[in-house]
């Protein structure tokens, strides 16, 4: 009997096992999981609702969704797309719903429906919980098997351990190229009490890191520690490695009106011409508390009228609205949505099969590869697509 070891009972590992067993029930599949539960991260993703994929509407280039690994994901999505994901789960008894933000969730809004579906599909697998893998090496004691996992012989090994901040010591002896792991999808700490006093406010904005080309757009949430929300999470993903290299310090630039500077100036001039005697503080172009904060940041005195603004005042207010600067003092983890950039370098694998070039019979899927995405279901879609490809590649090899 062909024996397959899958290391990591997360999204990619369980999806690979499910597809293997559904298409070839006679296979012997062992799932090694270091923790006490399979699919632990899936059960809490999306705030416990499980944002399992995205419609990709509005994504002009895959690099927008996958800052690292977009070329491999282009092939992976052709093999198993977001539409395929929806069909797979719905055909197995999990009705789905598409939200306005293009994210797919179970109709029940319960991540455990996804967990239970996957575990049903994995029926027949030997799921070994609390079983960390310490060694993966070429078989020495068996002429029939190619691999040994913790000394046990297997024909094929699939590594799906997810993000590995501490590395992958069990494959260190295989001579693979690795990309040092760094955090992605985090929020920004800003030591500006006048800003954090506005906690709870949300505004559609453009943000970027000064001195770099990293930019993002979307809802920006002000918190009691700094910035969060979709715009922040996108930027943290795009700039994950840059920020790690710079100790998570830098200067964040915020365009509060999501418009070019020239348009912001024109809007201010138009507002001034219509309300010359009105106090600027009472003419809210944004939420009142945020507007007051920005007027102070622009250095405008309290009670100033539009007719008194002048060219210098106009320039300062335009600059503040289009490019307010806030120093960053660090990062904070975003709920349970911890994602790691880095891992097994894509140069090690055949992009069509995800089999290791140097070691036939060794495959990689999911976040253990140097593939990661912005928030919104894209990371789970990478797990489904790459797990599916590994299963199909193994079945084809048999």
């Amino acid at each position: 009997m062909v024996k397959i070891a899958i290391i990591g009972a997360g999204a990619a590992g369980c999806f690979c096992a499910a597809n293997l067993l559904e298409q070839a029930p006679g296979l012997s599949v062992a799932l090694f999981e270091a923790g006490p539960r399979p699919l632990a991260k899936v059960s809490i993703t999306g705030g416990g609702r499980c944002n399992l994929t995205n419609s990709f509407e509005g994504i002009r280039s895959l690099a927008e969704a996958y800052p690292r690994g977009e070329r491999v994901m282009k092939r992976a999505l052709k093999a198993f797309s977001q539409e395929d994901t929806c069909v797979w789960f719905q055909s197995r008894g999990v009705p789905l719903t598409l939200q306005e933000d293009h994210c797919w969730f179970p109709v029940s809004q319960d991540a455990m429906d996804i967990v239970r579906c996957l575990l049903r599909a994995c029926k027949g697998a030997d799921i070994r919980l609390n079983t960390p893998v310490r060694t993966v090496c070429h078989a020495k004691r068996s002429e029939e098997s190619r691999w040994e996992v913790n000394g046990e012989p297997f024909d094929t090994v699939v590594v799906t351990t997810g993000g590995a901040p501490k590395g992958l010591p069990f494959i260190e002896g295989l001579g693979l190229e690795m990309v040092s792991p760094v955090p992605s999808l985090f929020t920004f700490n800003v030591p500006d009490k006048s800003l954090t006093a506005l906690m709870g406010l949300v505004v559609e904005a453009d943000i970027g890191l000064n001195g770099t080309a990293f930019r993002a757009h979307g809802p920006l949430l002000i918190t009691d520690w700094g910035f969060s929300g979709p715009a922040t999470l996108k930027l943290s993903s795009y700039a994950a490695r840059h920020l790690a290299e710079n100790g998570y310090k830098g200067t964040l630039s915020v365009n509060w009106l999501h418009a070019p500077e020239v348009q912001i100036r024109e809007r201010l001039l138009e507002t001034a011409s219509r309300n010359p005697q009105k106090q600027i503080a009472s003419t809210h172009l944004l939420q009142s508390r945020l507007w007051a904060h920005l007027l102070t940041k622009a250095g405008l005195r309290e009670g100033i009228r539009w007719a008194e603004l002048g060219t210098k005042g106009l320039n300062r207010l335009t600059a503040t609205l289009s490019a307010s600067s806030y120093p960053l003092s660090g990062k904070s983890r975003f709920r349970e949505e911890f994602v790691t950039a880095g891992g097994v370098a894509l140069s090690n694998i055949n992009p069509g099969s995800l089999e290791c070039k140097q070691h036939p019979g060794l495959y990689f899927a999911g976040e253990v590869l140097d593939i990661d995405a912005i928030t919104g279901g894209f990371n789970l879609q990478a797990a489904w697509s790459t797990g599916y490809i590994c299963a199909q590649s193994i079945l084809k090899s048999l």
Side-chain angles (χ1 to χ4, degrees):
M1 180 182 291
V2 175
K3 294 183 64 179
I4 299 168
I6 299 177
I7 304 172
C14 286
F15 200 68
C16 179
N19 280 279
L20 284 169
L21 291 167
E22 286 187 349
Q23 297 176 56
L27 290 177
S28 171
V29 177
L31 269 164
F32 292 80
E33 171 55 47
R37 293 187 299 135
L39 298 162
K41 191 173 179 181
V42 173
S43 69
I44 59 175
T45 189
R49 298 186 300 133
C50 192
N51 175 195
L52 76 164
T53 189
N54 194 285
S55 72
F56 284 70
E57 185 177 341
I59 300 295
R60 297 163 296 180
S61 164
L62 272 186
E64 292 182 17
Y66 297 96
R68 289 153 291 273
E70 73 275 10
R71 291 183 179 178
V72 169
M73 282 307 302
K74 186 175 182 179
R75 297 186 66 158
L77 287 167
K78 286 182 179 179
F80 193 84
S81 68
Q82 64 273 24
E83 290 89 357
D84 294 325
T85 294
C86 293
V87 170
W88 198 94
F89 282 98
Q90 293 191 112
S91 68
R92 288 160 179 79
V94 184
L96 305 177
T97 182
L98 179 63
Q99 296 189 166
E100 291 184 2
D101 60 1
H102 316 307
C103 295
W104 282 98
F105 285 86
V107 169
S108 65
Q109 301 290 298
D110 185 356
M112 290 308 297
D113 281 352
I114 301 297
V115 171
R116 286 188 285 266
C117 175
L118 286 167
L119 291 180
R120 285 195 301 270
C122 285
K123 186 178 180 180
D126 177 13
I127 302 178
R128 307 179 186 184
L129 303 178
N130 299 306
T131 309
V133 169
R134 295 182 174 84
T135 59
V136 173
C137 60
H138 292 285
K140 298 176 182 178
R141 295 179 294 179
S142 172
E143 295 180 358
E144 297 179 358
S145 300
R146 290 189 287 182
W147 293 94
E148 288 184 358
V149 176
N150 286 353
E152 182 179 350
F154 288 92
D155 300 282
T156 301
V157 175
V158 187
V159 179
T160 61
T161 50
K166 297 180 181 180
L168 299 168
F170 61 86
I171 61 169
E172 285 180 356
L174 298 179
L176 301 180
E177 181 186 353
M178 303 293 292
V179 179
S180 58
V182 298
S184 182
L185 293 188
F186 47 84
T187 65
F188 297 145
N189 297 340
V190 179
D192 184 333
K193 293 183 179 180
S194 66
L195 173 76
T196 55
L198 306 176
M199 60 179 291
L201 290 182
V202 180
V203 61
E204 194 80 8
D206 299 325
I207 61 175
L209 287 175
N210 285 355
T212 76
F214 297 115
R215 299 288 183 271
H217 162 73
L220 181 66
L221 169 65
I222 301 174
T223 69
D224 59 348
W225 65 86
F227 288 118
S228 185
T232 301
L233 297 175
K234 282 184 185 178
L235 187 62
S236 74
S237 179
Y238 296 151
R241 197 157 295 282
H242 170 84
L243 286 165
E245 291 170 354
N246 288 275
Y248 301 97
K249 301 293 177 63
T251 302
L252 189 73
S253 177
V254 182
N255 182 319
W256 293 102
L257 293 177
H258 177 44
E261 182 178 348
V262 63
Q263 291 184 15
I264 292 175
R265 178 183 293 273
E266 289 173 356
R267 185 174 176 184
L268 292 175
L269 287 170
E270 182 181 357
T271 303
S273 67
R274 290 182 177 179
N275 308 277
Q277 297 307 313
K278 195 171 183 179
Q279 290 187 357
I280 296 177
S282 63
T283 313
H284 306 146
L285 299 187
L286 291 160
Q287 296 102 318
S288 59
R289 289 194 296 147
L290 176 58
W291 184 242
H293 163 76
L294 294 173
L295 294 182
T296 300
K297 196 170 181 67
L300 300 180
R301 61 180 172 81
E302 187 176 351
I304 188 174
R305 302 177 187 277
W306 284 102
E308 302 169 325
L309 184 59
T311 301
K312 290 184 179 180
L314 175 66
N315 290 342
R316 291 202 302 272
L317 185 54
T318 300
T320 300
L321 293 172
S322 63
S324 290
S325 293
Y326 296 92
L328 303 182
S329 60
K331 65 175 179 61
S332 293
R333 181 169 172 172
F334 177 65
R335 298 178 187 170
E336 298 86 6
E337 305 286 350
F338 187 81
V339 173
T340 299
V344 177
L346 299 180
S347 58
N348 294 297
I349 64 166
N350 182 320
S353 65
L354 301 185
E355 185 176 22
C356 184
K357 294 175 182 176
Q358 304 99 306
H359 304 287
L362 176 65
Y363 296 80
F364 294 92
E367 197 187 334
V368 70
L369 290 165
D370 187 22
I371 298 174
D372 65 283
I374 61 176
T375 189
F378 299 103
N379 282 295
L380 272 180
Q381 181 59 52
W384 312 137
S385 294
T386 56
Y388 177 86
I389 288 176
C390 282
Q392 299 308 310
S393 301
I394 293 168
L395 292 169
K396 186 177 180 180
S397 73
L398 298 178

